[in-house]
C-alpha cells in the first residue's frame, strides 16, 4: 500500500524539485497532490517524466486522508497551513516547528552539517566560522528573475531598481540574507548557529556571515574549524571520502575543486580546499558546495519522508 502525499508550494523552485525527486526515487505514493496559492490553481506541473499534476488551491484543500505533506511555500504560509494539515492527521515536513510537524533545517545549515558531522565525530568541533555565498534561488523565483533582468539591463545601459533585494544583485554581492536582529546578525546567520547546535552539538560555537551572490543555483561555504583534537588534511580527506552523502573533489591545482555551477542537479555535498589552518591550534579549513534546491531543501525533505515511512507511519 502506497501513501497519499501532498506537496505544498508545488509551483515554486523547491516544490518542483520535490516532485521530481519523489519520482526519481520511486517514493511509494499512490496519490500525489500538487498544492499552491490561488493564483497558480489550474496550472500543470510535472511529476517525473510521464505524469502531469493539476495544481489545487492550498487555502481550500482538505488534508483529511493525506499521510505526508512536503511543504516549501515560505515561513508565513507554512505557519498558517502546516498546523492545519497536522491537525487533519498528516505528518508535515517543513521549515516550521510544532507537534506533528518535522522541521527541515535551513538550506545553508544542511550542507554544512552533512560535511562537518564526520569531522565532529573524529575530532570534536569546538568552533565554526563560516562565510556563505548563497544563490538567488534561495530567495525564490522572483529573486532569480531579478538577477536575470538586471543582468540584461546592464548590457543595454538601463538601470533597474531592486525589488526583491535591498540592493542590485547583478554583478554585486549583498551581505544580508533575511532581516537584521538586535545583535547585528541576520536571521539567516542566527538560523545557522541555532540549527548547527541542535543538529551537531549544543557546545559548538558558531559565527556565520551569510552573503547573497549573483548566481542562480548552488550555495557555497568557506568554513574554518577549531577542533579539540589534531586532525590533519590527509586524515580529514580520508574521513570525508568515506562519509555518506559527501563527495570530495580536492586536487591542489587550477580547477581541482567544485563550484556552485557544477553542483547544480547533483544530490551530494561536495568538499574541496581541505587544508590545515596553522594560525590556531587544531585548525582546519574547507570549501563546501551543494545544490540548495535539492540537498538544501527538496532532497533532504524527501529523505526525511523516506526515513519516516520505515517505521513511524
Amino acid at each position: 500500500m502506497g501513501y497519499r502525499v501532498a506537496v505544498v508550494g508545488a509551483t515554486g523552485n523547491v516544490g518542483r524539485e520535490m516532485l521530481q525527486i519523489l519520482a526519481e526515487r520511486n517514493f511509494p505514493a499512490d496519490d500525489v497532490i500538487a498544492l499552491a496559492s490561488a493564483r497558480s490553481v489550474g496550472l500543470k506541473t510535472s511529476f517525473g517524466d510521464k505524469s502531469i499534476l493539476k495544481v489545487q488551491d492550498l487555502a481550500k484543500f482538505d488534508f483529511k486522508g493525506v499521510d505526508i505533506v512536503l511543504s516549501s511555500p515560505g515561513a508565513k504560509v507554512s505557519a498558517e497551513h502546516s498546523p492545519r494539515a497536522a491537525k487533519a492527521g498528516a505528518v508535515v515536513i517543513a521549515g516550521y516547528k510544532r507537534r506533528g510537524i518535522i522541521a527541515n533545517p535551513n538550506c545553508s545549515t544542511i550542507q554544512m552539517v552533512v560535511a562537518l558531522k564526520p569531522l565532529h565525530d573524529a575530532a570534536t568541533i569546538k568552533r565554526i566560522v563560516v562565510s556563505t555565498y548563497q544563490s538567488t534561488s534561495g530567495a525564490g523565483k522572483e529573486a532569480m528573475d531579478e538577477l536575470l533582468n538586471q543582468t540584461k539591463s546592464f548590457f543595454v545601459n538601463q538601470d533597474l531598481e531592486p525589488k526583491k533585494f535591498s540592493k542590485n544583485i547583478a554583478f554585486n554581492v549583498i551581505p544580508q540574507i533575511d532581516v537584521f536582529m538586535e545583535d547585528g546578525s541576520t536571521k539567516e546567520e542566527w538560523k545557522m548557529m541555532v540549527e548547527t547546535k541542535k543538529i551537531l552539538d549544543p557546545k559548538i560555537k558558531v559565527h556565520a556571515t551569510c552573503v547573497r551572490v549573483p548566481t542562480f543555483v548552488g550555495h557555497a561555504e568557506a568554513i574554518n574549524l577549531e577542533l579539540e583534537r589534531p586532525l590533519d588534511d590527509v586524515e580529514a580527506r580520508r574521513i570525508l571520502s568515506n562519509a555518506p552523502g559527501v563527495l570530495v573533489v580536492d586536487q591542489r591545482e587550477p580547477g581541482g575543486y567544485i563550484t556552485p555551477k557544477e553542483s547544480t542537479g547533483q544530490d551530494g555535498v561536495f568538499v574541496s580546499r581541505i587544508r590545515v589552518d596553522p594560525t590556531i591550534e587544531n585548525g582546519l579549513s574547507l570549501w563546501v558546495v551543494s545544490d540548495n534546491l535539492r540537498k538544501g531543501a527538496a532532497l533532504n525533505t524527501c529523505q526525511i519522508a523516506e526515513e519516516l515511512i520505515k517505521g513511524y507511519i
Side-chain angles (χ1 to χ4, degrees), residues 5-8 14-15 17-19 21-22 25 27 68-73 91-96 101-107 110 291-309:
V5 179
V7 175
V8 176
V14 176
E17 287 288 343
M18 285 178 178
L19 289 168
I21 291 169
L22 286 172
R25 298 171 74 89
F27 190 87
I68 300 171
V69 177
L70 309 183
S71 183
S72 66
V91 177
V92 183
I93 304 172
Y96 185 76
I101 302 171
I102 300 172
N104 201 16
N106 191 39
C107 54
I110 291 171
D291 182 329
N292 59 294
L293 298 180
R294 289 183 70 89
K295 183 56 185 172
L299 175 63
N300 203 66
T301 303
C302 294
Q303 288 175 321
I304 292 171
E306 289 170 348
E307 290 298 315
L308 191 64
I309 65 176

Side-chain angles (χ1 to χ4, degrees), residues 262-289:
E262 294 159 306
S263 75
T264 302
Q266 305 296 316
D267 289 346
V269 172
F270 295 88
V271 182
S272 308
R273 301 294 318 277
I274 303 167
R275 61 201 190 279
V276 169
D277 175 4
T279 66
I280 57 170
E281 188 175 2
N282 303 330
L284 194 71
S285 292
L286 52 154
W287 172 254
V288 176
V289 177

Side-chain angles (χ1 to χ4, degrees), residues 10 30 36 83 85 111 135 138 222 244 249 252 267 312:
D30 285 342
Q111 68 182 67
S135 65
V249 180
R252 293 178 175 178
D267 289 346
Y312 295 95

Side-chain angles (χ1 to χ4, degrees), residues 1-2 45 68 78 82 107 116 137 147-148 153 161 167 171 183 206 210 228 274 277 284 291 302 313:
M1 173 183 168
T45 187
I68 300 171
S78 286
S82 293
C107 54
L116 297 190
S137 59
L147 169 60
L148 179 61
S153 71
E161 289 297 316
K167 295 179 182 287
F171 306 101
D183 66 353
V206 182
C210 295
E228 284 192 3
I274 303 167
D277 175 4
L284 194 71
D291 182 329
C302 294
I313 64 172

